[in-house]
Amino acid sequence: MDAVNIDDLRKVAKRRLPKAVYEYVAGGSYRELTVARNRADLDRLAFAPNNMVDVRQQNTATTMLGDPAAFPLALAPVGMVGLTWPDGELHAARAAEAAGVPFCLSGFSIASIEDVAAVRKTPFWSQLYMMQQMEVNEHLIARAAAAGCSALVMTLDVHVHSQRWADNRNGLTSPIRVTPGNVIDMMGHLPWIARMVTSKRWTFATMAKEHPQASNVLSLAAWVNANLFAGIDEGTIRWVRAQWPRKFVVKGILTVDDAKRARDLGADAIVVSNHGGRQLDGAPSTISVLPEIARSVGGEIEVLWDGGVLTGFDIVRAMGRGAHGCLSGRAWAYGLAAHGRKGVDRALALLRQELLDCMALTGTQDITKLAPGLVTTEPPL
Ligand SMILES: Cc1cc2nc3c(=O)[nH]c(=O)nc-3n(C[C@H](O)[C@H](O)[C@H](O)COP(=O)(O)O)c2cc1C
């Protein structure tokens, strides 16, 4: 494998996946303004290096939610990623464990919570989408607890499924629309088809156990879409917190006000996230709102961050703007789609090496002790 960066993995993923699947992973909602902002605002930051520091010894290790992290990056929940590679979530869960970083399983995963628990020796995190049926939510939370998950990550920013125009064009809708274009495109990706037909898993396995009446993945997808809970408020968050015995994370925070409310409702951590620009188009970039949120609640709860990670330099950027740790979605999903387990290994190795390079070049010995002012907003010309 000759990928020298995450973008190389993306290009291989693009070649290997049917267009509909690739665009599902890569895309954002509506005009994709927020996807672009996430990246553009990261690029606007500048490093102020300390060039008189001995960087022969470097430490990247930290903890995230009390779990050890060989470097401060967790694999973000990515729904349906098992459609890019058979048993995709299992490969990613193993790769994260081997790299010593946390793995968060999506509530809309192809492999189930129990499948992932079976391949892990160490605990992982489980992400929860609230459904309208409280007994389903209760059961999902109990299953995550029984699977030994160390953290429950409650996602707040999917009140409704926003529109990704590429998915609509590609027929990746509920119900799925098969078009002559889809079929011709699929036929151009026979190796992907050959791999996927070997997969035992073709449904949202976690959710399927909650809705046995859904006879197949299409009816299950329709049920899931129709039953997302748009009523999440403080009472709902309090209710989930009360059900869950371990670390509790609220994902999808973009304002100081919501960060404080999450803290007051018992969150141990928040994820400053705009869902990778896949939900509210026009939301601010996550890196732009991070410093103020970290200043307001970072002393009391862990402030995690995601949105736009392409290199290990972005991890330093976010840590320098106040994050306790980062999550990344597309970077590992591209690796998986390109080369299966080896691709996730490669993505994580690239990000870690770039992190080490950036630390050395900025005079940083320890990722948990960044010099104040290391990551600055570029001075105007
Ligand atoms: C294909 C795809 C599926 C996603 N599915 C979920 C999900 O099931 N649950 C969730 O909380 N976030 C989901 N996300 C959002 C990610 O967890 C994360 O917030 C986002 O990907 C971070 O941005 P990045 O992809 O630029 O790293 C998804 C993101 C992508 C790209």
Side-chain angles (χ1 to χ4, degrees), residues 18-361:
K19 185 164 175 276
V21 182
Y22 171 76
E23 291 189 344
Y24 160 73
V25 176
S29 57
Y30 306 95
R31 293 171 58 208
E32 303 191 336
L33 294 175
T34 296
V35 180
R37 273 182 196 163
N38 276 352
R39 192 57 247 167
D41 287 353
L42 279 166
D43 288 341
R44 258 199 288 278
L45 294 175
F47 296 109
N50 301 299
N51 280 339
M52 294 180 211
V53 177
D54 177 349
V55 288
R56 284 173 297 178
Q57 302 288 328
Q58 294 174 290
N59 175 50
T60 60
T62 182
T63 59
M64 291 173 77
L65 299 170
D67 289 337
F71 61 107
L73 185 87
L75 276 63
V78 174
M80 301 204 299
V81 79
L83 293 185
T84 68
W85 196 276
D87 299 334
E89 290 93 357
L90 306 187
H91 291 301
R94 287 196 194 99
E97 188 163 58
V101 294
F103 172 76
C104 185
L105 181 70
S106 163
F108 292 166
S109 56
I110 303 294
S112 70
I113 300 180
E114 292 78 12
D115 288 340
V116 173
V119 302
R120 293 270 303 197
K121 294 186 190 68
T122 52
F124 57 101
W125 306 347
S126 180
Q127 180 258 326
L128 177 75
Y129 278 128
M130 291 292 287
M131 307 305 292
Q132 290 167 19
Q133 298 73 6
M134 283 302 154
E135 67 282 4
V136 168
N137 299 320
E138 207 174 324
H139 197 222
L140 287 169
I141 296 168
R143 284 171 63 193
C149 292
S150 52
L152 185 75
V153 177
M154 178 180 184
T155 296
L156 295 191
D157 53 12
V158 184
H159 318 79
V160 293
H161 262 298
S162 64
Q163 299 300 308
R164 288 188 298 272
W165 289 337
D167 291 356
N168 295 355
R169 276 191 206 101
N170 294 329
L172 208 63
T173 46
S174 175
I176 286 180
R177 225 171 0 95
V178 179
T179 64
N182 296 148
V183 175
I184 293 166
D185 183 65
M186 289 274 174
M187 288 304 130
H189 293 89
L190 291 178
W192 175 81
I193 294 179
R195 261 196 305 279
M196 290 310 297
V197 293
T198 67
S199 181
K200 286 197 292 271
R201 299 179 176 85
W202 269 103
T203 186
F204 306 137
T206 297
M207 293 307 297
K209 292 190 185 161
E210 302 301 329
H211 189 59
Q213 298 92 316
S215 51
N216 59 45
V217 66
L218 297 185
S219 51
L220 180 63
W223 179 80
V224 164
N225 264 328
N227 285 280
L228 270 174
F229 183 52
I232 295 178
D233 60 10
E234 291 192 6
T236 325
I237 297 174
R238 208 175 284 116
W239 180 85
V240 176
R241 168 71 284 191
Q243 309 281 313
W244 177 251
R246 303 183 197 125
K247 297 280 183 188
F248 178 55
V249 187
V250 173
K251 176 171 182 279
I253 299 290
L254 289 172
T255 64
V256 168
D257 195 42
D258 273 359
K260 287 183 177 163
R261 288 205 278 174
R263 173 203 59 196
D264 295 344
L265 291 165
D268 300 293
I270 54 171
V271 187
V272 175
S273 175
N274 52 32
H275 217 102
R278 295 166 71 84
Q279 284 296 116
L280 173 63
D281 194 35
S285 70
T286 48
I287 199 72
S288 67
V289 296
L290 173 63
E292 211 190 337
I293 293 176
R295 263 194 305 277
S296 71
V297 298
E300 297 155 279
I301 57 175
E302 282 186 20
V303 176
L304 308 178
W305 164 92
D306 73 23
V309 170
L310 262 190
T311 71
F313 285 59
D314 296 326
I315 302 174
V316 181
R317 288 185 172 102
M319 302 288 281
R321 303 298 278 173
H324 177 86
C326 307
L327 282 74
S328 167
R330 293 182 184 86
W332 73 261
Y334 291 144
L336 178 72
H339 303 289
R341 161 73 195 266
K342 287 197 176 87
V344 186
D345 290 343
R346 182 76 182 146
L348 292 174
L350 284 166
L351 292 170
R352 179 166 185 277
Q353 186 54 52
E354 291 159 353
L355 170 67
L356 283 165
D357 293 350
C358 184
M359 287 171 62
L361 293 169

